[in-house]
Amino acid sequence: MRLRTNIFLWVSLATVLPLTVLVLVVTAYSERQYSQDLDRQVGQSLNTLVAEMDRRLRFEREVIGALVNSAPMQGFQSVLEQARDGRKHPQFNLRAAQLGIFLEEFTALIPDIGTIRVLDTRGNTLIMIRERQVMPTHYPGMDPYAYAEEELDDPAFLQRLRALPRGEVSYLLLPESRSDYIFGAIPPMYDAAVPIEREGEGVVGYLLANSTGLQIDRMLELAPRLHGGRLSLAELNPDYPSRDGLILFDEASGLLFTSAKQPETRIASTFCEGLAQQVNVQPFGAANLQTRPSRVFFAEYHPYPNQLVSWVVISEIPHDAIGAPFKRIRQGILLMAGLALLVSLLLAQLSARRIAKPITRLTHNLKAYALGQPLEQNEPHNTQEIRELQDSFTYMAETLEKARTDRDQAQRMLLQSAKLASIGEMAAGIGHELNNPLNNILSLAKLIRRELPDDDPRAREDLRALTDEAERATRIVNGILNFARQVPPHYVPIDVRPWLEETLILVNQAARDQQVSVRLEVEEGLVMEGDVNQLRQVLINLLLNAIQASQAGDEVVIMARHDRDGEVNVCVCDQGCGIKPEVQDRMFDPFFTTKPVGKGSGLGLSISLGIVEQHGGNLDIRPNERGGVTATVRLPAHRRQAAP
């Protein structure tokens, strides 16, 4: 890094940067407080809107409840009583006309009330007022009077009618055949229902009225929009999945409360799935949208006393409307910081000119000293730090000269140490020397076996024991030689699947003798670089250990695949007796084995570990969930420097 750049950085770190960070932190804190105040204001606004809707719906319930007790309705109770018994009242038509005129005038005075139905106890419509007009009764039925709609054939709806509490205004959904909207459209609101009772006779019919939602539309349209927020209203209805999350009012798309709804207009599609989940968890709150840069505020309201239905009023405010003032402030701060950094750069340039000259001369002297060339004379500088630097260079040159002498002496000592280290090769030499007499013993044993008579089994048995012990000694010597050789690997590309299949052929006989099955799982196209023979020796050692540790009927699995780091993992998993903790710490020690005497030399895992580390990998052995042991060989897919 150049000197002026260094000075520039220090000046920036000492002055401009702390001030900029401080101002940005204060701005961020102010923005956070502003956001919290905004959340509180919008939440209060939504709560006020919810309270207004609650008052309006409570007023409608009171009006509908009073309608049941009106004089025309009481005069029609005797007609409903005889209809309940399957008879037609003598003044049926007169009283029906009187009640129809009254209900027409009622709907004209209260435009929020849409369709009004008077039902008998079987759920059939005797009188229906729609669009402030009495609908004709021209649908015949089983009773001696006509209906305003087709005869009801919906036992579930009739059961809900009969379960209505008396003297209260309840809410329910009409069957699709009674819908006031086109087929397939979803009504925005439930219908209010009140049982009609006659003194001493019980329930004789039902009054049903639905709300158009006109006043709710006006409330939502006239509600204050803080910071340009856009209002929406949705229904949460766990009992009816077709209505759960349905958007009833949406200012952005022009959807009004009074219009029929389509199934695709839902919270998840209009906003995001996360908002629908959050609204189900908490009734009031705010969240950032994932689909667009906006923040939404919501408040929950339960409009129907007898239903597990709630409305969620949502106000969506763009992030730009919230953070625009703070964005301009940050832009101004960054502009001032840029100007300050420019001034710092000019100051750094002036300071560097004064300091750079002696440092440049010192740099030339360093290069000249490295090349063995004559040094320039350093002129004493007024700056104390630079003068100390010049003195330090002189001291360094003198010290390095002394260190050069010490280095030469150390090299002589290292040469002597290398000579002493050659003594370590003695073990390998002894192993070579032992191989010759062992080979002679084996050869002579074979010759003696040929000369022995067949009727001397004791001698043959002794000779076989001698041969076995000589072969075991040969294996131990070969293990010592392999352990001491430290042969570097010969790298070639290895197609892992064919290589593993060829290796399995070498241990198939041992697996059959042990009655153990071997299964191979290899990732397709798996290729790596390594020494084929050395790595095969590692795999054979691990497979033989796994087979010998398994019981008859067990399975040994070989898996090979890439891991996340691009290395190749080869795992050998068995179902054997596992590994004890005290053994796990010593299993890689040379000549350590848990096998009986004569069954192993204890060098297999040591040699395998050395080969794997020569390839720059590692060998890990640990218990698995199948009760056995998993040996994992991790190797780089491509050649790299071996681990020390």
Side-chain angles (χ1 to χ4, degrees):
M1 183 182 296
R2 296 179 64 86
L3 181 60
R4 62 180 178 183
T5 304
N6 204 342
I7 296 175
F8 166 73
L9 290 176
W10 280 109
V11 172
S12 302
L13 291 174
T15 57
V16 180
L17 186 60
L19 182 60
T20 304
V21 171
L22 177 62
V23 175
L24 290 177
V25 169
V26 172
T27 306
Y29 176 79
S30 302
E31 185 176 6
R32 182 180 177 184
Q33 294 297 319
Y34 176 80
S35 178
Q36 293 176 354
D37 293 340
L38 177 64
D39 290 0
R40 191 161 41 251
Q41 292 174 8
V42 177
Q44 292 174 354
S45 175
L46 293 181
N47 290 335
T48 302
L49 179 58
V50 166
E52 292 178 1
M53 290 192 296
D54 182 67
R55 284 193 294 270
R56 183 63 194 180
L57 292 179
R58 190 183 300 116
F59 167 75
E60 290 182 7
R61 287 196 294 270
E62 293 173 358
V63 170
I64 295 171
L67 188 62
V68 176
N69 299 320
S70 62
M73 186 65 70
Q74 289 180 353
F76 198 71
Q77 289 177 358
S78 59
V79 176
L80 292 172
E81 178 188 352
Q82 293 200 12
R84 182 186 62 181
D85 300 331
R87 293 177 291 129
K88 184 176 181 179
H89 194 278
Q91 297 182 343
F92 179 93
N93 295 330
L94 176 62
R95 296 193 180 186
Q98 291 175 346
L99 181 58
I101 294 172
F102 171 75
L103 294 177
E104 280 184 347
E105 296 174 351
F106 176 81
T107 56
L109 292 174
I110 304 179
D112 271 3
I113 303 298
T115 304
I116 298 179
R117 293 177 173 85
V118 179
L119 310 181
D120 61 12
T121 55
R122 287 177 289 281
N124 295 312
T125 307
L126 303 184
I127 299 175
M128 183 169 69
I129 312 298
R130 177 179 287 170
E131 297 179 356
R132 302 181 180 85
Q133 292 182 359
V134 179
M135 305 304 293
T137 55
H138 54 266
Y139 291 93
M142 299 296 294
D143 296 313
Y145 46 85
Y147 306 137
E149 295 176 295
E150 292 182 352
E151 187 174 7
L152 180 68
D153 185 17
D154 192 342
F157 176 69
L158 188 58
Q159 185 178 2
R160 291 197 297 270
L161 280 177
R162 292 172 179 171
L164 293 175
R166 300 180 183 182
E168 297 180 12
V169 179
S170 304
Y171 289 85
L172 48 75
L173 286 174
L174 294 179
E176 192 168 344
S177 61
R178 295 290 190 265
S179 177
D180 296 323
Y181 299 87
I182 61 174
F183 182 81
I186 302 176
M189 293 185 65
Y190 278 48
D191 283 64
V194 186
I196 302 174
E197 296 181 83
R198 190 177 186 191
E199 186 175 357
E201 297 297 331
V203 176
V204 295
Y206 303 92
L207 174 67
L208 272 68
N210 70 351
S211 176
T212 62
L214 182 62
Q215 290 297 327
I216 296 178
D217 268 342
R218 292 177 180 174
M219 290 179 186
L220 293 172
E221 290 171 356
L222 297 176
R225 269 66 167 169
L226 297 180
H227 302 279
R230 294 178 297 183
L231 284 178
S232 300
L233 191 146
E235 178 178 321
L236 299 181
N237 195 335
D239 293 335
Y240 291 88
S242 61
R243 299 181 64 91
D244 193 23
L246 190 67
I247 298 294
L248 304 179
F249 177 90
D250 185 32
E251 182 181 2
S253 61
L255 178 64
L256 297 178
F257 200 92
T258 52
S259 57
K261 313 305 172 197
Q262 299 301 322
E264 62 270 15
T265 56
R266 298 183 179 273
I267 291 180
S269 58
T270 305
F271 296 98
C272 65
E273 186 68 30
L275 177 62
Q277 296 175 358
Q278 186 170 353
V279 169
N280 285 322
V281 174
Q282 59 185 42
F284 306 94
N288 293 320
L289 290 183
Q290 301 172 355
T291 55
R292 52 183 177 268
S294 297
R295 184 169 178 80
V296 293
F297 305 83
F298 56 88
E300 190 176 15
Y301 164 59
H302 296 273
Y304 310 123
N306 67 315
Q307 297 288 341
L308 292 175
V309 179
S310 61
W311 289 349
V312 179
V313 184
I314 303 172
S315 177
E316 179 182 352
I317 301 178
H319 284 322
D320 291 339
I322 300 174
F326 297 94
K327 183 178 180 180
R328 290 192 294 270
I329 293 175
R330 279 192 287 268
Q331 289 175 348
I333 293 173
L334 294 177
L335 179 60
M336 294 300 297
L339 294 175
L341 290 176
L342 182 60
V343 174
S344 299
L345 182 60
L346 295 176
L347 293 176
Q349 180 71 21
L350 295 175
S351 300
R353 289 180 179 178
R354 182 173 181 274
I355 301 175
K357 185 177 180 181
I359 295 180
T360 302
R361 182 180 291 110
L362 184 60
T363 303
H364 176 269
N365 283 340
L366 285 172
K367 293 180 179 179
Y369 180 80
L371 298 174
Q373 298 174 356
L375 305 181
E376 293 183 4
Q377 183 66 33
N378 287 325
E379 298 179 1
H381 200 271
N382 295 331
T383 305
Q384 180 181 354
E385 288 79 6
I386 295 179
R387 188 169 58 251
E388 291 178 353
L389 182 61
Q390 294 171 341
D391 295 339
S392 299
F393 171 75
T394 303
Y395 174 77
M396 179 196 68
E398 295 172 354
T399 304
L400 287 178
E401 287 297 328
K402 182 177 182 299
R404 183 177 298 155
T405 304
D406 295 340
R407 181 197 61 191
D408 295 337
Q409 183 178 358
Q411 286 180 344
R412 290 191 295 271
M413 294 175 64
L414 286 174
L415 181 60
Q416 183 65 26
S417 298
K419 294 178 181 179
L420 295 175
S422 63
I423 299 175
E425 299 178 3
M426 183 184 299
I430 294 174
H432 282 292
E433 294 299 327
L434 288 177
N435 259 340
N436 293 328
L438 287 173
N439 289 333
N440 292 334
I441 292 173
L442 289 173
S443 300
L444 292 174
K446 291 180 181 179
L447 294 175
I448 294 172
R449 185 185 296 112
R450 295 175 184 173
E451 301 295 331
L452 283 176
D454 295 334
D455 58 352
D456 194 354
R458 181 179 181 85
R460 286 184 172 275
E461 181 66 23
D462 292 341
L463 187 60
R464 187 183 62 80
L466 175 64
T467 303
D468 291 343
E469 291 300 318
E471 289 176 348
R472 186 167 72 89
T474 301
R475 288 195 297 270
I476 294 174
V477 170
N478 289 334
I480 294 173
L481 294 176
N482 291 334
F483 186 71
R485 280 195 182 105
Q486 300 290 329
V487 178
H490 176 64
Y491 283 90
V492 294
I494 301 175
D495 191 347
V496 176
R497 176 176 285 277
W499 173 68
L500 290 177
E501 291 173 348
E502 294 171 2
T503 305
L504 286 182
I505 296 174
L506 302 177
V507 298
N508 276 339
Q509 185 60 45
R512 285 194 294 268
D513 294 343
Q514 197 75 9
Q515 298 181 8
V516 174
S517 60
V518 182
R519 178 163 54 91
L520 187 61
E521 297 180 3
V522 184
E523 179 182 323
E524 291 299 328
L526 190 61
V527 178
M528 66 178 182
E529 293 182 357
D531 190 306
V532 176
N533 296 323
Q534 290 187 8
L535 293 179
R536 179 175 286 126
Q537 181 183 357
V538 173
L539 188 58
I540 290 175
N541 287 339
L542 298 179
L543 283 172
L544 291 177
N545 287 343
I547 292 170
Q548 293 170 4
S550 300
Q551 302 295 327
D554 287 351
E555 181 184 50
V556 175
V557 181
I558 305 174
M559 295 177 292
R561 60 177 58 89
H562 276 113
D563 63 7
R564 296 178 182 176
D565 299 329
E567 293 186 340
V568 176
N569 289 354
V570 180
C571 302
V572 178
C573 307
D574 62 57
Q575 298 174 267
C577 56
I579 184 170
K580 298 179 181 179
E582 61 271 15
V583 173
Q584 191 168 3
D585 295 336
R586 301 185 57 197
M587 58 188 173
F588 290 113
D589 291 351
F591 305 105
F592 175 78
T593 180
T594 58
K595 297 177 183 178
V597 176
K599 297 295 184 180
S601 63
L603 291 173
L605 288 179
S606 301
I607 295 172
S608 299
L609 178 63
I611 292 173
V612 172
E613 289 183 345
Q614 283 274 23
H615 282 75
N618 60 73
L619 174 60
D620 179 58
I621 301 178
R622 63 183 61 194
N624 58 34
E625 66 277 2
R626 302 168 67 192
V629 170
T630 297
T632 302
V633 179
R634 294 184 179 87
L635 295 168
H638 302 286
R639 179 178 181 179
R640 68 186 184 193
Q641 184 66 31

